[in-house]
Amino acid sequence: MSLSIVKSVLPGGVIQIAPRGEIDVDTAYEVREAIAEVLAKGRPSRIELNMRLVTFIDSVGISAMVAGFQTAEVSGVKLVVTEPSRFVHRQLWVTGLLGLFGGPDPYFADSGSELLPGA
């Protein structure tokens, strides 16, 4: 599977980078490049790495995220992870890096769409 990345501007000068697919040894550089490109164009108030549509991430992908975090930090920009898929959330938790990226809760596709009986 390949990786696609969509960048968008959110209110308050926040830039969202939303990868979709697998971040691994073959595609991790794309995440680093997306973060570097955003920083080269200016200084957003924050970068949100929306990981909801990431189905797989390996150690090289995690390393790319950490490198992106460090690059942003040197530029005075906070990089956080938002809506990590359950797989990404687990990988960040296991590696002890969840807190580095803002400690986001995992994204559940159907959260809030169903009410419990009697609720």
Side-chain angles (χ1 to χ4, degrees):
M1 181 175 210
S2 63
L3 180 71
S4 62
I5 298 177
V6 175
K7 291 179 239 140
S8 52
V9 179
L10 303 178
V14 174
I15 301 293
Q16 177 177 267
I17 299 172
R20 176 184 192 135
E22 298 179 358
I23 303 174
D24 58 21
V25 68
D26 295 323
T27 60
Y29 73 94
E30 294 180 48
V31 173
R32 283 192 311 272
E33 286 179 357
I35 295 167
E37 183 180 300
V38 165
L39 293 169
K41 290 182 178 178
R43 296 292 174 262
S45 60
R46 184 173 73 221
I47 297 174
E48 293 184 356
L49 198 53
N50 185 311
M51 303 292 280
R52 175 179 47 188
L53 300 175
V54 175
T55 56
F56 176 82
I57 188 164
D58 67 6
S59 61
V60 178
I62 297 283
S63 179
M65 290 174 61
V66 171
F69 176 89
Q70 292 170 333
T71 302
E73 189 173 66
V74 166
S75 300
V77 177
K78 180 75 173 167
L79 184 144
V80 297
V81 169
T82 61
E83 300 184 322
S85 65
R86 292 192 323 186
F87 186 86
V88 171
H89 186 272
R90 174 99 175 128
Q91 296 306 97
L92 292 176
W93 181 78
V94 166
T95 58
L97 294 171
L98 194 58
L100 180 71
F101 293 105
D105 290 328
Y107 174 78
F108 293 102
D110 56 348
S111 64
S113 64
E114 296 178 5
L115 292 177
L116 297 174

